[in-house]
Amino acid sequence: MLPRKIMSACISGPIFAIILALVNPNPFEEPITSFWDYASSITLATPAYLLYSFPVILIYGVITSVISDKLASMVRSATNRYETVLSCVLHLLFGLVLLPYSLGASLLFFLIDRRLQGQNRAFKPIHALKSLILPPVLYTFCWDWCTFRGFGHN
């Protein structure tokens, strides 16, 4: 279960950073006057959001997701129903820490984890290690893109 949870964090972290950058591309409220300003703001905001959100998603998200699934499976063995619903509710409760950001991140984590779980594969530690490359690749890509395009250098 732990390799799958780490993979879920490594996938949901970058997706969350991209979504957050699309929704709030300029956290410092500077005016965005053109498409290129918007694109550069997204490209600059994504690594910043990733830098702060990914460690939390990886550590807090994996721990609370394991707890949520374990609690839900204990209820399942008692009633044999509603395991997925209870797990989702517990993920969302743990995600109430920093409304609305952490709530969105916890929902995204839950959905990606269920998608991976639905593949009925046994994920191994090597899969988790390989997935750890995704966040740094996105971070590097965004910074390289900014440097190549000259974003942020007016």
Side-chain angles (χ1 to χ4, degrees):
M1 175 194 297
L2 191 59
R4 188 186 80 234
K5 298 294 184 183
I6 292 170
M7 290 175 61
S8 297
C10 291
I11 295 168
S12 62
I15 293 172
F16 177 73
I18 292 168
I19 291 171
L20 192 55
L22 288 169
V23 172
N24 188 11
N26 196 347
F28 302 111
E29 304 298 328
E30 295 175 9
I32 297 176
T33 58
S34 70
F35 173 77
W36 291 113
D37 283 348
Y38 180 69
S40 67
S41 294
I42 290 170
T43 309
L44 289 169
T46 299
Y49 289 142
L50 185 64
L51 184 66
Y52 290 103
S53 66
F54 179 67
V56 175
I57 291 170
L58 182 62
I59 296 167
Y60 180 76
V62 168
I63 291 169
T64 58
S65 183
V66 168
I67 292 169
S68 296
D69 284 355
K70 291 291 185 185
L71 289 174
S73 70
M74 287 190 318
V75 169
R76 179 199 61 186
S77 53
T79 63
N80 206 18
R81 295 174 54 178
Y82 307 116
E83 179 183 4
T84 301
V85 174
L86 180 59
S87 180
C88 182
V89 169
L90 290 170
H91 275 81
L92 294 175
L93 285 174
F94 281 120
L96 289 173
V97 176
L98 297 170
L99 280 173
Y101 301 109
S102 58
L103 190 60
S106 67
L107 181 60
L108 182 62
F109 187 106
F110 174 77
L111 293 173
I112 289 171
D113 187 50
R114 289 299 167 190
R115 176 78 172 148
L116 289 175
Q117 186 180 22
Q119 292 181 358
N120 292 326
R121 286 183 52 191
F123 294 105
K124 298 177 181 170
I126 191 70
H127 296 117
L129 286 173
K130 286 179 180 179
S131 71
L132 284 170
I133 195 70
L134 291 173
V137 165
L138 176 64
Y139 187 91
T140 304
F141 173 78
C142 287
W143 278 118
D144 285 349
W145 184 263
C146 291
T147 304
F148 176 71
R149 292 287 183 190
F151 290 159
H153 306 315
N154 292 331

